[in-house]
Amino acid sequence: DAEIVLLGRSNVGKSTLMREITGHDFTTGGKPGVTRQPNHYDWAPESFVVTDLPGFGFMSGVEEDRQESIKTDIVRYVEEHADAILAGVIVLDGKAAVDIIDRHTTEEEIPHAVELYGFLRELGIPPVLAVNKMDKVDDRDERLNDIADRFGLVPPWEQWRDTIAPVTAKKGDIDALDEAIRVHLEAAKRDDLK
Ligand code: GDP
């Protein structure tokens, strides 16, 4: 089965998004990032497997070396499953992402989300940015253009709808993500026919 991996730091809304995508009611439970095994769910009506890989990036309340080993596990998982992974969905908090990225951009440091984006691309996995919590964003287009820019995608963001998907998971508004995933699904089907 084609697989979709869902990645992102804690509190961006991964669980909420998973619930909307899969229809399963589930809670991650306990501390963020503590679940190290990926959780698999189906994405009806297509038979994708959605794999929740929690806690990439900063996890509050989790020790640093534990964070590192979780990160290593995630990297290993994605590398091992790269051939089957249709898309890597990086979930961002639309309200906070640009500030977090800018704060972590220095000569020695690449922000986790940007690093992860590059890592997926290197493995040939199309990255999709699910920009969540859009209900809290006033200057929608401006914000999405800023996010595009931080990931090296030339604005306007609308030309990157296969990569940038503004969503409000909490209200079930995930059409843009469905559409982005569909583009990659169709592309994968075409590749299979070659
Ligand atoms: P996770 O740690 O990434 O799994 O994040 P959760 O799904 O647990 O969500 C973290 C918090 O963000 C919760 O309080 C959610 O209710 C809230 N949240 C999730 N999606 C949205 C959204 O689209 N809009 C708003 N305003 N809040 C959201």
Side-chain angles (χ1 to χ4, degrees):
D1 255 2
E3 186 174 337
I4 304 214
V5 295
L6 213 82
L7 302 138
R9 56 194 282 141
S10 60
N11 214 39
V12 291
K14 289 184 303 301
S15 316
T16 309
L17 191 57
M18 282 287 278
R19 207 152 42 225
E20 282 304 321
I21 291 170
T22 64
H24 289 274
D25 198 2
F26 81 104
T27 44
T28 44
K31 284 186 184 171
V34 168
T35 318
R36 295 179 62 169
Q37 288 303 310
N39 303 307
H40 295 265
Y41 297 89
D42 291 332
W43 187 342
E46 304 278 354
S47 63
F48 305 142
V49 176
V50 178
T51 307
D52 176 29
L53 297 169
F56 196 97
F58 176 72
M59 292 160 262
S60 63
V62 181
E63 280 172 41
E64 203 172 314
D65 54 348
R66 178 140 177 76
Q67 290 192 33
E68 272 309 308
S69 78
I70 291 168
K71 196 169 140 183
T72 306
D73 285 356
I74 292 172
V75 165
R76 190 174 304 141
Y77 181 91
V78 173
E79 281 173 351
E80 278 171 9
H81 293 78
D83 286 348
I85 298 175
L86 186 71
V89 176
I90 302 171
V91 187
L92 301 174
D93 179 335
K95 182 103 179 160
V98 173
D99 284 347
I100 293 171
I101 288 170
D102 288 351
R103 205 182 321 134
H104 289 279
T105 303
T106 64
E107 269 179 33
E108 305 92 69
E109 199 185 4
I110 300 172
H112 284 306
V114 175
E115 187 184 16
L116 187 53
Y117 181 90
F119 165 68
L120 292 170
R121 286 194 47 174
E122 269 171 36
L123 289 174
I125 299 170
V128 175
L129 301 170
V131 186
N132 191 31
K133 308 197 185 185
M134 287 304 291
D135 58 316
K136 295 206 294 185
V137 173
D138 303 323
D139 46 353
R140 182 183 162 90
D141 287 336
E142 200 180 321
R143 183 59 56 96
L144 292 167
N145 283 339
D146 283 348
I147 288 173
D149 171 73
R150 300 307 189 271
F151 286 86
L153 303 167
V154 179
W157 74 272
E158 286 97 332
Q159 24 173 26
W160 302 103
R161 285 184 187 273
D162 60 344
T163 309
I164 299 175
V167 295
T168 300
K170 201 169 150 183
K171 295 183 181 162
D173 174 10
I174 59 164
D175 287 356
L177 181 59
D178 278 331
E179 278 161 36
I181 295 298
R182 212 152 295 281
V183 170
H184 297 298
L185 177 67
E186 295 302 324
K189 279 181 185 163
R190 279 197 304 276
D191 282 349
D192 276 350
L193 291 174
K194 277 180 201 156

